[in-house]
Amino acid sequence: MKELKKSFWDFVTANIMIVLAVPLMIISESIQARYLGPGNYGKVALFLSAIILLYSFGISWLRLSIIRFGKEEFLKENHLRKTTADFFIISLFSFFVISVLFYSFKKPILTFLEIGKINLFWIILLGAFISLIKFFILEVLQVIRLIKLYTFLFRLASKIFIVLGMLLFVFYILEISVIYVVYVFLISDILVIIIGLFFIKSKYIFPLQFDKVLIKKMIIFSLPLLLNSWSGYVINWVDTYVIKYFMTLEDVGIYQAAYKILNTFKSFFGMGLVAITTPIIMVFKTKGEIDKIKNFYIKRLIPQISFFAMIFVSLIIIFSNQMFHLIYGEKFNSSIMVFKILMASVSFTMIAYGFSAIFTSFGLTKIIFYLGLSSGIFNIVVDIFLVRYIGIAGAAIASFLVFSIVPIIWLFYINKYFGVTRKLALLFPLITVLIMLINIFEINFIIRLVASIFLMITVFVISRKFNLFNKKDSIMISNINLPDPIRNLLVKFINYASKK
């Protein structure tokens, strides 16, 4: 199968982009934090949150419809003319409505976000429109199977452009300010759009074909995601707004420093996984190979993803003190504990990313809506209570609970939907939480390191008894294009990790 055979190289490319992008991200965030200070660093976060507010409440709810219906159209007709035309009809109408509403309430919104000049509203509006075009281009690249280019543009190219922009401040070509930093982010998105357009053949898009039946399908599919987009925005930004209300801009900057690094790791690990697995699941579904989704993907691959997520996340938590000192300096020491709490949730989040392809391919958007709505309300209530009494650590705990509970519900729902009883995937995030707890205590680093590694080794031994890896998994490897040395190494690891 072409989709499966190409998946290894897509995975390798995604991870190479991660490795290359991480130092660029570190340089970018370090320059912003050190040159702006916690207060102005917090202002940048609030300004960008306004752009995301307009995008999330107006147009992001249609994003999944591109991969959902565009992939089917591309497989059957070798173009996306119907999906493109209908997407922009709905998107532009939605964008107009939300822009009018936002304009009507711009003064109180901008005042709360401490955006002094009212005319900067138009920058926010432009930023939201740029986001619409950018994510359309990126989704199309996934549909037409240019996963490597998608990964490069989404992960690496934008980071390169942002760092180049930040160097203008380092070399005193421009004097750093909040608005200039925002301009750097917007220009980087525009450059990503221009490059992406060069690789999308015009015959895939033009001539546009309007399809009333497809418009209806796209709206029905995406409508539950409208409120989910709103709740997603609430989950991602309510912490910042509650901290802003009860505390100071410096506290906003401290919290955002941890949250930005968290989102970087979530995005790198998760979105690469989604980009690779969605085409595979779509093909399995289109060809009616449901047994492969159930027996290979859910029973075998999801627990294995969870296991490796535990390893990577735990290592990041263990060495996060050194990482934060390198990136932000001593002014942001308070961010470290917040980051450790938040980072532990990524082990759970990776399970959700693994299931994302199934939710998209099978149109299970209602459960996403219900979970998004309830988790948004839960996040607000818990945030207000905890931030008021224990500060930014309370915001981190609230987000950790949301980011952890929702994937657990996803797992139980998908298992029931496909008749699967195996829940091994939940073991590894729980171990990650234990490692996080060990590493937030003020004890000697060597003791924390040894205890954490001991836990990881112990859970590996336990996982062998639960048949996490099976010698039959090596059969699936033979269906994937990869070099013989790597194939042999994977087979040896599987054989060793398999239950004797």
Side-chain angles (χ1 to χ4, degrees), residues 233-478:
Y233 180 86
V234 168
I235 291 169
N236 286 322
W237 289 99
V238 69
D239 299 344
T240 301
Y241 295 153
V242 174
I243 292 170
K244 166 67 172 59
Y245 182 81
F246 285 110
M247 304 177 76
T248 67
L249 266 178
E250 284 73 16
D251 293 306
V252 171
I254 293 293
Y255 186 80
Q256 275 297 309
Y259 207 86
K260 276 192 173 183
I261 303 297
L262 168 80
N263 279 338
T264 298
F265 284 118
K266 283 174 64 176
S267 182
F268 284 163
F269 295 149
M271 297 309 292
L273 180 63
V274 172
I276 293 165
T277 58
T278 299
I280 296 173
I281 297 299
M282 286 288 292
V283 171
F284 283 161
K285 178 181 178 292
T286 302
K287 294 187 175 182
E289 297 175 328
I290 306 302
D291 285 344
K292 289 184 178 179
I293 298 176
K294 177 180 177 180
N295 297 317
F296 162 64
Y297 192 81
I298 299 175
K299 288 185 178 181
R300 310 281 327 143
L301 190 58
I302 292 296
Q304 292 168 5
I305 290 172
S306 181
F307 170 79
F308 288 113
M310 176 199 69
I311 301 296
F312 288 117
V313 171
S314 296
L315 291 175
I316 291 169
I317 290 173
I318 292 168
F319 294 101
S320 56
N321 290 61
Q322 295 84 347
M323 179 179 66
F324 266 77
H325 287 149
L326 174 65
I327 299 173
Y328 293 113
E330 293 185 359
K331 290 182 179 179
F332 288 83
N333 278 350
S334 301
S335 300
I336 298 173
M337 184 180 69
V338 172
F339 174 75
K340 290 178 180 179
I341 295 171
L342 291 170
M343 192 65 199
S345 68
V346 175
S347 279
F348 293 95
T349 305
M350 287 300 293
I351 296 175
Y353 279 125
F355 284 132
S356 179
I358 295 177
F359 276 92
T360 302
S361 302
F362 286 82
L364 304 176
T365 52
K366 286 186 178 180
I367 183 64
I368 296 178
F369 160 68
Y370 293 133
L371 286 176
L373 182 62
S374 58
S375 60
I377 296 171
F378 175 82
N379 206 161
I380 292 173
V381 173
V382 177
D383 254 318
I384 293 174
F385 178 78
L386 292 180
V387 171
R388 186 174 181 179
Y389 292 104
I390 60 176
I392 57 177
I397 293 171
S399 290
F400 167 81
L401 292 174
V402 171
F403 295 150
S404 303
I405 293 172
V406 171
I408 293 173
I409 297 174
W410 277 37
L411 184 141
F412 279 93
Y413 182 86
I414 289 294
N415 279 7
K416 183 178 179 181
Y417 188 88
F418 286 91
V420 175
T421 58
R422 185 177 171 90
K423 300 177 181 65
L424 180 61
L426 288 180
L427 170 64
F428 310 111
L430 295 176
I431 298 299
T432 307
V433 174
L434 290 178
I435 292 173
M436 178 269 290
L437 292 174
I438 292 171
N439 283 272
I440 63 174
F441 289 120
E442 293 294 331
I443 56 179
N444 184 272
F445 172 74
I446 299 299
I447 296 175
R448 288 187 275 122
L449 177 63
V450 171
S452 300
I453 293 176
F454 174 77
L455 269 177
M456 286 188 279
I457 294 174
T458 301
V459 78
F460 173 71
V461 173
I462 294 173
S463 67
R464 295 179 69 189
K465 297 182 181 297
F466 285 95
N467 197 30
L468 175 64
F469 296 98
N470 192 296
K471 293 180 179 180
K472 292 181 180 178
D473 293 338
S474 59
I475 299 175
M476 186 60 67
I477 294 176
S478 64

Side-chain angles (χ1 to χ4, degrees), residues 10 19 32-33 37 71 97 122 126 138 168 188 214 224 259 262 302 350 378 383 415:
D10 292 337
V19 172
Q32 292 178 64
K71 189 66 177 181
V97 172
W122 299 106
L126 175 64
L138 292 174
L168 297 176
S188 72
L214 183 59
Y259 207 86
L262 168 80
I302 292 296
M350 287 300 293
F378 175 82
D383 254 318
N415 279 7

